[in-house]
Amino acid sequence: MSRFVVVGAGITGLTAAFEWRRRRPDDEIVVLEAGDRIGGKLHRIELAGHWYDTGPEAMLARVPDAVALVEALGLGDRLVAPATTQASVVLPDGRHPLPAGTVLGVPASAEGLEGFLSPDGVARVRAEADLPPVRPDGDVAVGALLRERLGDEVVDRLVEPLLGGVYAGRADELSLQATMPALAASLPAAGSVLGAAAAARDAGIRSRGDADGPVFVTVSDGIGSLPAALVEAARADVRLRTPAHGLRRTPGGFQLSIGSAAEPELLDADHVLVTAPALKAARLLREVAPGAVEPLAGIPYASMAVVAMAFPAQDVPAGSGLLVPPVTGRLVKGVTVSSAKWPHLGGGEALLVRSSVGRFRAEEDLQRDDDELIAAVVADVADLLGLDRPEPLQTALIRWGGGLPQYLVGHRERVAAVRAAVAEVPGLEVAGAAFDGLGVPACIRDATRAVTALLG
Ligand SMILES: Cc1cc2nc3c(=O)[nH]c(=O)nc-3n(C[C@H](O)[C@H](O)[C@H](O)COP(=O)(O)OP(=O)(O)OC[C@H]3O[C@@H](n4cnc5c(N)ncnc54)[C@H](O)[C@@H]3O)c2cc1C
């Protein structure tokens, strides 16, 4: 019997605990959590009588790890597919359906872009065929490449709203290789962005085992219900309000200093998995894996806030919601009409909506007190959805300070450097949103990878 210590009780840490229990039924598993609840970014509230996610609300089914985990927990019957996924983009000249067949907003051709882009914007996309083949030299910013090859409108109207939604990031800073790996990999052979987007899109379709299945799923009582199910199945000793703030090697394994910094408790471990956000992981690895510190510290985070709202039931424009890029000058960056998107949240007496605010390097959007921020978001949402009855029945604001890691240019090299430094320390692993994908399925996959690596 040995002791496995996980730092962080988010989806990554708890999945690792569960996975460890499946493979090593008799080991002791301790999960250290600095906060006062489990789940990390997974969080649900009660909204108008429903369980309602205020962290992640949809999981990519195409990356199968989340669906597989929910099924392994015996909760497969709670997986729900969206009733609609048709989103629209709000642009200065009105609302337009999001064009189909793009790769995170990068079009594979100029077809279907009329009306969404200006005639000049569409012509710019078409004109890529006349440009010399693209030969990227290493990683580049998504925005830099696309502005040069396809024009500003593709970035500002199409790619920015999608990257803003997934990363709360900016196209002009995010890494092509890290945020669009399939497209980046296809670029040298395709020689054009349009060709690479087509190749990435087709490869994505081919790799989907269940081509007719939903692209996204959720869980009927909230993705935020998974942490408790994982803890129970893992039979883990979860210690809340117990940060790990020191880690050192011992002849037999590791020793962590945990709890109060003034009067730390010492905890021995045979294996350690660190899933804390990058800067905290950097502090923890200072002594055991100094080579990981600088690259980890180079991964910044964007802060954001989610406002959950229940309005009286009323008609709203069809579709799952709206993407709102910065070119609109609006405060909110997205509106999800949850009661239209998810069948289990629809048909009741309330219109359930969530909206998010906050982008990387735009923290000033969040610097209002709670009431002011809620009022501003409700006003934006009521206007965007054209609500006849804009007085909410219930609202909740959840602030996510340092919510989403930014995969900036060079991210993959940073991750490789972290992984190389950690690999020199047998029994130690790092995993989580900072590395190879920040979506819930990617975190689950990384947790499983880490457990496999630790168990050899
Ligand atoms: C508002 C929002 C919406 C999102 N929407 C989606 C979505 O729809 N779909 C999707 O797939 N993904 C979404 N994501 C992304 C996804 O939810 C996260 O990337 C993922 O949940 C991160 O999981 P994690 O376990 O790696 O990290 P975290 O959830 O951040 O967990 C890390 C844990 O470590 C703890 N910790 C930190 N330092 C220490 C320490 N020193 N000692 C002990 N514990 C420590 C923290 O308190 C935290 O609980 C969203 C994220 C946010 C913020």
Side-chain angles (χ1 to χ4, degrees):
M1 187 178 119
S2 65
R3 181 185 287 155
F4 174 44
V5 174
V6 181
V7 178
I11 188 65
T12 308
L14 296 179
T15 299
F18 172 66
E19 198 55 40
W20 195 278
R21 175 63 68 220
R22 293 215 285 184
R23 302 189 203 186
R24 299 281 283 259
D26 299 325
D27 278 0
E28 186 187 352
I29 303 173
V30 180
V31 181
L32 303 171
E33 170 53 50
D36 57 6
R37 61 168 185 84
I38 56 170
K41 306 301 182 306
L42 272 57
H43 184 246
R44 61 178 183 165
I45 59 167
E46 240 185 300
L47 186 70
H50 295 276
W51 280 119
Y52 192 80
D53 282 312
T54 56
E57 55 99 40
M59 305 188 292
L60 197 57
R62 209 178 272 166
V63 179
D65 306 63
V67 170
L69 179 72
V70 174
E71 285 170 349
L73 287 167
L75 305 176
D77 58 344
R78 298 193 196 168
L79 287 168
V80 183
T84 170
T85 52
Q86 179 57 59
S88 295
V89 182
V90 179
L91 294 173
D93 58 346
R95 177 178 314 177
H96 301 268
L98 184 66
T102 70
V103 175
L104 261 177
V106 183
S109 76
E111 238 169 85
L113 298 180
E114 289 87 3
F116 193 90
L117 305 184
S118 70
D120 283 354
V122 177
R124 252 325 280 277
V125 174
R126 276 213 184 87
E128 203 209 3
D130 305 327
L131 298 179
V134 60
R135 299 267 173 259
D137 181 19
D139 199 10
V140 290
V142 170
L145 177 76
L146 298 185
R147 287 186 195 284
E148 187 190 321
R149 303 286 304 187
L150 305 178
D152 289 342
E153 285 190 11
V154 165
V155 177
D156 298 336
R157 295 178 157 234
L158 204 42
V159 176
E160 194 77 306
L162 283 156
L163 288 177
V166 178
Y167 293 91
R170 296 172 176 277
D172 289 320
E173 295 196 62
L174 289 170
S175 148
L176 183 78
Q177 289 184 346
T179 62
M180 303 181 181
L183 191 152
S186 303
L187 211 46
S192 72
V193 171
L194 296 181
R201 183 197 59 196
D202 295 347
I205 293 169
R206 275 197 305 277
S207 72
R208 266 172 76 188
D210 176 11
D212 298 327
V215 174
F216 289 99
V217 291
T218 195
V219 179
S220 58
D221 46 356
I223 296 172
S225 68
L226 297 180
L230 282 167
V231 168
E232 193 187 334
R235 285 180 282 116
D237 170 11
V238 179
R239 303 193 192 170
L240 299 179
R241 296 175 210 87
T242 310
H245 38 75
L247 176 65
R248 65 178 194 89
R249 284 175 90 168
T250 61
F254 300 91
Q255 189 172 68
L256 294 110
S257 53
I258 66 172
S260 143
E263 285 176 59
E265 194 187 317
L266 299 178
L267 178 71
D268 291 326
D270 300 286
H271 300 93
V272 174
L273 170 63
V274 177
T275 73
L279 202 53
K280 293 188 172 145
R283 280 188 211 129
L284 206 50
L285 297 181
R286 215 165 26 204
E287 204 179 313
V288 284
V293 172
E294 204 187 310
L296 277 169
I299 303 174
Y301 280 65
S303 293
M304 55 190 293
V306 169
V307 178
M309 290 153 274
F311 294 98
Q314 55 195 299
D315 286 341
V316 290
S320 60
L322 304 171
L323 301 168
V324 189
V327 282
T328 60
R330 295 260 184 191
L331 173 67
V332 304
K333 64 186 172 101
V335 179
T336 303
V337 184
S338 311
S339 44
K341 180 172 179 180
W342 301 112
H344 62 289
L345 298 178
E349 280 163 20
L351 170 73
L352 305 184
V353 181
R354 70 179 238 165
S355 184
S356 54
V357 179
R359 286 187 173 82
F360 186 48
R361 300 196 206 283
E363 279 71 22
E364 66 277 6
D365 287 349
L366 301 169
Q367 283 158 6
R368 313 169 182 223
D369 71 31
D370 289 4
D371 290 346
E372 210 186 318
L373 187 55
I374 291 171
V377 170
V378 167
D380 241 2
V381 167
D383 183 40
L384 286 164
L385 295 179
L387 297 185
D388 291 333
R389 300 172 69 192
E391 280 298 314
L393 306 168
Q394 189 185 339
T395 59
L397 166 69
I398 286 81
R399 293 184 186 266
W400 294 109
L404 289 167
Q406 299 298 297
Y407 292 5
L408 304 184
V409 175
H411 182 77
R412 295 223 302 206
E413 282 76 40
R414 247 168 251 127
V415 172
V418 174
R419 298 241 190 258
V422 169
E424 284 175 22
V425 188
L428 178 68
E429 265 293 337
V430 290
F435 304 107
D436 293 316
L438 51 68
V440 171
C443 291
I444 292 170
R445 189 177 46 196
D446 202 29
T448 310
R449 176 206 59 76
V451 168
T452 302
L454 286 172
L455 290 175

